[in-house]
Amino acid sequence: MRVTKADLPQVRHHTPRLQERLRTEEQLIADVTERGWAREIERRRCAADRIRGFLDELGPAGPADT
């Protein structure tokens, strides 16, 4: 997903959902690490990294963006 400055007003409303999804992925990473499921750890880490990338592209949500 490539986000341009023109797209930001339309996609910033996704920030809270992405943050929640990142928290979920982090919980899942902890769970599968405890279980020792190497492939699932890798998969969940990749998903979390991608979500972090989206959040970095969106930047911090200001009061007008919530």
Side-chain angles (χ1 to χ4, degrees):
M1 175 175 158
R2 276 286 154 217
V3 178
T4 65
K5 291 208 183 267
D7 296 326
L8 288 179
Q10 291 83 19
V11 296
R12 282 197 193 265
H13 69 276
H14 292 292
T15 300
R17 288 177 34 196
L18 288 169
Q19 291 168 334
E20 179 63 30
R21 182 58 195 227
L22 180 57
R23 285 190 292 274
T24 299
E25 288 298 330
E26 290 169 344
Q27 290 171 347
L28 291 169
I29 290 167
D31 180 58
V32 298
T33 299
E34 187 176 304
R35 295 171 190 264
W37 295 349
R39 180 65 181 111
E40 191 66 12
I41 294 167
E42 179 185 350
R43 190 170 83 82
R44 295 296 175 178
R45 284 184 179 160
C46 286
D49 288 346
R50 187 169 173 119
I51 294 167
R52 281 187 200 97
F54 290 152
L55 289 169
D56 287 347
E57 286 186 39
L58 291 172
D65 298 325
T66 56

